[in-house]
Each structure stands twice: as structure tokens, then as C-alpha cells.
Amino acid sequence: MNKHILFAFLLLFIYYPIYATNKHALIIAISKYPVQNGWAQLASNNDAQYIRTTLLKHDFKNEEIKLVADSEATVDGIITAFKQLELETNAGDVVVIHFSCHGQQVESLDPNKLGGLDQCVVSYNALKPRLSKDFKKDQAAYLRGQTIGLHLQAIRRKAGKDGDVVVFMDYCHSGAGTRGVGKKRGGEPPFMNSNNVVKKTSTPLPSDICINTTKPQKSDAELSPFIVISATRPEESDLETDDNGIELGSLTYAISKSFDHLDANITYRSLFTKIQSVMNEIVPEQHPLIEGSGLDKVLFGGKFVPQKPYVEIERFNNDTELVARMGLFGGLDKDAKVMLYPAGTNDPAKATALASGKVISADNFTSTIALDKSLPISKAADGWIFITEPSYHLKPLHISIANNKADNNKSVTSVFTDADIAIIKSNMVDMPMISFEGNPDLMIVKGKQQDSIIAAIDGSLVTTIPDIPKNLPLLKDRMKEYRKYKFLKELDLKSNDANVEVIILPIKNGKVDSLKFKSSISGYDFHNNDSIWIAAKNNGKKDAYINILDMQPDGAINALFPKKKDNILANELKIRPGEYHVFSDHGIAVSPPYGVEVLKVFVSTEEIDMESLATMVQTGTRGITSRGNLSAMEKLVKESNGIATRGLSTINSETSEGSAYNLIFNIVK
């Protein structure tokens, strides 16, 4: 054999993966429910055919697409299919699972579950709730979301970090699990145990299948990314639609249409925008959801593509004016500048803008944007807003530059010269939010190797910057970030409707430390490696959502609730009137920097998502949260359930859309 051919062959053997990526699909479709069980017949058989055809067009082999239909789709039958799929899955494989059936909310068997309801697949032999006379017996025919989650976790472990697991859920309440013009796929009132003295009437939660019900394992990093696309929000019904006389599920229809003419490098997030756009046309009352850890991966085993922060469009006012789902607290105050791009844009620098715009008015939660041309899109879901110049109408940040010569301290050799101070001040002339007069918020101090920015209130270190006079752009960036931090810290909103009390619980040996617990919500002293839980009680008369940001003494802002990395999702954080819930599955480990720590609590009667307000601080000492860009405060402003390390000019309005307040504690040595 030619030695060059032999060498090439050996290289191929060495570098080519020892496994070949295969694609597997499991379709669970229940159309012909037994009449005596009370469930309406569905067009899920049509769904199965549509999904099979779609997958075949994308290189799935017919023999690798398994169907579990009708009488085969009992709880035991579906679980058996999951186990077989797990056996057949290898490292690097792509797995797609599609549900087409009825969905139902069933009272949780876990009395401590937030919301009190499980989202369930209605298996073939499940009895309709109103026909049940024995809850304990009949609930067993409903396949609960957490059961599905356990099997998906096993499949993800087999697929490994290079694989994909994708789940489509076309049934009622699928966003925890209603379809256009046809019949509902579920939509019944929750199936409750009538023997309970206290009945649970809580609102539903997002898809349980996204949540690990086991403690994190060391090997969890080797699980495949996962993506779950649901037909509805948790509280909605799923309506069937019509495709030229063929009835089928609205999500299935949207999937089949969206998969036509896909770009080669489209991500799951971008695919979802197409699905969302189709569903907005056929079932505008439904709101599909996407969840998971692989949203920014290219479809079916591709690479991750970084997603730049964007803002969704709420609605169009006219052909040159729109309302964005972000307001004052996200930097969309009056005169902020934005660009409109097609939905699904990953990086605006690599795409062509549809229009530019300026904010003409804003409230806490939304902003109205005037565009420079007529809207080139017909639906809100077809466009994303990217901020080019944020605007914050905030108080100035007062800065003091320490000049050690003024103290006649001969032992100090590192000082800012008069020329240094002049350079620093002259380069901040274009920053009207910075003032060098008055009582300082921050002090800039010269060091031998690193210059420091110090919080004047307690002397805590905010950050260090090498030779500030030569790194003025970095200094200006840190000033902007700290100004936003100061604004959030001082924000105080009051609402009678959004009335949730959040409480810090000190933890010792996995239990509340009753000796240390205080009835006051603030005033604790904690040390490094102490642990806390968060509890919440709704004292109002309406359902309310909570969000919590951790604000470190050094100006870093960390996401606590929600926090997608730990599978704490925004639509999970709803608290019912009178409900008291302890988030014991999401412990918080206390760690430096030392000083005054603030937990910023936001409460609203509408779903909110504050996670994108978290910031990345280069000099932060905690590797504790996934921190995004300081870019959004939507409306009001799992994979693991383990320990999440965290780490006044006042606005008061009784008619505010929500509440915002601080919980304060000290981290001491």
C-alpha cells in the first residue's frame, strides 16, 4: 500500500470518532381514546405522519423512527419505549421525541411542590377526571412530567455532551404540557383528590420534564443538551388546526411548516421563532414555549452559536411604531436607540437590519419605539430589537480621586499626579452621569501594581484596573455598570396587588437553624460557606411572580430566581394567595466578597424574567452564577437543583405594576 495512503488512513482512524452519529425518533400519538373513558378522539394519527415526513426530509431513517400509538401508549407502554430508546442511543446521537395526545394537570403527589400540580400526558387508558371515583387508582394512568424527565435524563446520559435530545409536546398545558379551530387536546380542570381536606387550586407550572428530580451527579456535565418545545403556556389549552382539510395539532403543523427551507446553520432558538410565527397566525390565543440547555445549538448535533441579547416585540401601534417588552430598567428610556432585525438573528453585526429606531416613551416594563421606516414585517414574532445606545435617566454617580500627596503621607510612593487626575476627569466629560462634586459613591485610589475603585460607604473593593490613566475605556465601562447597580439597589416600588414577603432562612445540616432564624427579613451576619434558603409568602389577593437578584458589595449582579442554568425558570416562580413556599431545592452558598449584600426582590402579578440583568464582573471572586449582559428587565423591571452560589432615591406608587424591595445582610470574616 502507498505509504501516503496508509498514513492518511491512520489519521482518519485516529481522528474520526469511534462512533457514528445516528438519529433516533420516538413518536407517541394517541388518537382513539376509549369512548367509555370520556376523552375526545384526536387527529394525532395525522400528527404522526406529518412528523415522520418532516424527519425523513432531514436525514432520519425510516427504521429509526418508532411509533407508539393508541392502545400501545399506556403508561407502561410509553415507559417501555423510553427504555428501548435508551438502549439504542449511543454517544453523540440525536434523539427526537414527539407527543401528540391529550394533556392534563393532576394534583402532585409531592405536598411541597410549588403550585401543587403536575403536568401529565393522558395515556390511552386514563379516565377523565370527572368520571373518576378513586383518585389514588386512576391517577396512575397519567404519565407525570417528572417520570418522563427521569427517562429523558437516562437518554441524555447515553447521548453524552455531543448529542442532542429534542422534545416536542403537542397537548394542553404542555408548557409545564390549546390548538386554532378544532377540538382541545385536554383543557380539563385539574384532576384533584377530593378526599383532601385542603384542596389545591394553584396555577400550573412549566414542563416538569425539564427538571431533574434527583440530586446532581458528578457526571451531569456529560449529559446531552436538551430542548423542549411546548404547544402552550402552562395555563392554556391546545387547539387542533386544519391543513387543507386535514386536522392535526397546531404545534405539529407549525413544525412541519417551519422545517421547510431551513438555513444550514439554524439554531433551535431560531427554529422556535419560525414555529412561534406560524402559531401566531393559526392559534393567536396560544403561546408556545421553548426551554432547555441547547437553545443556541445548531439543529441535530451542531455546534453552539452565541446569542446576543435581544428584546421581543409586544405589539405594533401602527406601521412605524412598536411596543417592546422592555422599559426603563433595561436601558430603554426615552431617546435610547435600537435596531430592528429578523427574529432568530444571533449576531446583529453579521446580519442586515430591517430598520432603526428611537424610544419615544417608556414605563417600567415596556417602551414605545418609533422606526425610521415602515415596518417590513407583519407579525410581532418576526422581529427582534437590539439595543445600540441604552438610555438611563438616573442620578449622577459621584466620584472622588484620592491624591495621597494631599495627606503629606511620605510613606506612600504610588499616587495619582495632578496630570493623571486631569486626564481622568477630561476623559469623562462626555459622561454626564458622572460627577466629581459632592459626597462620593466611589473612590479611585492609586496602587503600586493595580489601581482600585472603592465603595465609599463601607470601603469595600469594587474592582481593580491596571494603570487607570492608560485604561480609561475600561474605567468608563465600570462606572456605567456601577451606576446601573446603584439604580437597582435604590429602586423601591410598592403595589397592593403584588404583595409577596420573601424571607431568608439560615440553614444548618440541611435544616433551618432555629437558633439563628430571625423574624425580621434583614439583619443577618453570615460567614463564608454558610448556607441559606429563600422562602416566599403571598400576602396579597392575587397570584404573583417573584424574581430575585443578588447584588454583591463589589457591584456584581447575579441571577438567583430565575436562573436557567440551574433550571429555575421564570414561569415556575408563581406564588398563590396565602401560599408559603420554601425553595429548599435551590440552596444558596454564602461566599466573599465581604461586606453588605443585597437581595433585590421583584414581585409582579404578570410573569417577569430578570435574569438578563445579571452582569459579568471580570474581577469577581465568585464563580457562582451564569451572568449575562446587563441588557433587559422584561415587564417588571434544571438542569440542576443543587447549591447555587450567589454569592435611596425612591419610586413609590400604589398603582405600580409590581413591587421591588431589598433584603440586606452582611458577609463577615
Side-chain angles (χ1 to χ4, degrees), residues 228-230 251 258 266-277 287-290 312:
V228 179
I229 296 179
S230 309
L251 177 61
S258 300
I266 190 170
T267 64
Y268 290 103
R269 187 192 298 272
S270 297
L271 170 66
F272 178 71
T273 65
K274 296 179 179 291
I275 292 172
Q276 195 175 33
S277 181
H287 300 84
L289 296 176
I290 185 169
E312 293 183 341

Side-chain angles (χ1 to χ4, degrees), residues 17 55 84 91 115 122 157 164 194 234 264 305 318 337 353 377 411 434 542 574 601:
L55 294 176
Q84 183 61 35
V122 178
R157 185 164 284 111
D164 282 3
S194 60
V305 178
N318 53 53
K337 295 180 181 179
I377 54 177
S411 64
I434 300 297
K542 293 185 178 181
K574 183 185 285 187
V601 179

Side-chain angles (χ1 to χ4, degrees), residues 6-271:
L6 176 60
F7 179 68
F9 177 80
L10 290 174
L11 282 178
L12 182 65
F13 179 78
I14 293 171
Y15 289 104
Y16 192 78
I18 60 173
Y19 54 82
T21 298
N22 294 313
K23 296 179 178 179
H24 311 274
L26 173 62
I27 301 172
I28 296 153
I30 311 175
S31 299
K32 300 176 181 178
Y33 284 91
V35 175
Q36 66 272 21
N37 286 357
W39 292 103
Q41 307 293 292
L42 297 176
S44 299
N45 55 329
N46 293 335
D47 289 17
Q49 187 55 51
Y50 268 63
I51 291 300
R52 181 183 292 272
T53 300
T54 298
L55 294 176
L56 289 173
K57 290 179 181 178
H58 289 270
D59 300 324
F60 282 75
K61 297 178 181 179
N62 191 59
E63 61 271 20
E64 293 295 339
I65 304 175
K66 306 297 173 62
L67 174 64
V68 177
D70 295 333
S71 60
E72 297 177 339
T74 61
V75 168
D76 288 342
I78 296 171
I79 289 176
T80 298
F82 279 141
K83 291 180 177 178
Q84 183 61 35
L85 182 58
E86 179 189 348
L87 289 173
E88 295 172 354
T89 300
N90 295 307
D93 284 358
V94 173
V95 177
V96 173
I97 300 171
H98 186 95
F99 289 92
S100 290
C101 54
H102 281 296
Q104 178 65 37
Q105 298 160 348
V106 179
E107 181 174 335
S108 178
L109 300 178
D110 177 3
N112 297 316
K113 181 174 180 181
L114 182 61
L117 296 173
D118 289 336
Q119 278 51 251
C120 301
V121 167
V122 178
S123 75
Y124 173 78
N125 56 344
L127 197 63
K128 205 167 189 177
R130 61 182 173 81
L131 299 178
S132 174
K133 296 180 181 179
D134 186 340
F135 175 84
K136 183 177 180 180
K137 171 177 173 292
D138 295 332
Q139 62 82 28
Y142 291 87
L143 183 60
R144 296 179 184 265
Q146 58 265 42
T147 301
I148 298 174
L150 287 174
H151 290 284
L152 288 181
Q153 187 181 38
I155 294 169
R156 291 174 59 205
R157 185 164 284 111
K158 286 291 297 293
K161 58 184 177 61
D162 296 319
D164 282 3
V165 173
V166 187
V167 184
F168 297 109
M169 308 173 74
D170 202 346
Y171 55 82
C172 286
H173 316 298
S174 54
T178 305
R179 289 185 176 194
V181 296
K183 63 178 75 74
K184 292 182 181 179
R185 296 196 165 183
E188 290 292 308
F191 185 14
M192 312 295 290
N193 185 358
S194 60
N195 294 325
N196 280 353
V197 176
V198 179
K199 296 204 178 168
K200 297 182 180 179
T201 58
S202 64
T203 51
L205 298 177
S207 176
D208 291 325
I209 73 169
C210 296
I211 301 173
N212 282 351
T213 56
T214 59
K215 294 297 181 183
Q217 304 294 322
K218 291 182 179 179
S219 59
D220 279 1
E222 299 300 310
L223 294 177
S224 76
F226 71 101
I227 302 92
V228 179
I229 296 179
S230 309
T232 72
R233 288 178 179 170
E235 68 275 13
E236 294 175 343
S237 297
D238 181 20
L239 295 171
E240 292 191 339
T241 190
D242 181 276
D243 182 22
N244 296 319
I246 301 174
E247 292 184 353
L248 73 162
S250 54
L251 177 61
T252 301
Y253 174 82
I255 291 168
S256 67
K257 295 301 180 184
S258 300
F259 267 86
D260 290 341
H261 312 297
L262 289 181
D263 297 334
N265 293 314
I266 190 170
T267 64
Y268 290 103
R269 187 192 298 272
S270 297
L271 170 66

Side-chain angles (χ1 to χ4, degrees), residues 533-555:
W533 287 342
I534 297 297
K537 182 179 180 182
N538 189 343
N539 297 315
K541 297 181 180 180
K542 293 185 178 181
D543 291 337
Y545 291 86
I546 65 167
N547 273 219
I548 303 177
L549 295 173
D550 166 50
M551 305 183 71
Q552 296 178 187
D554 61 1

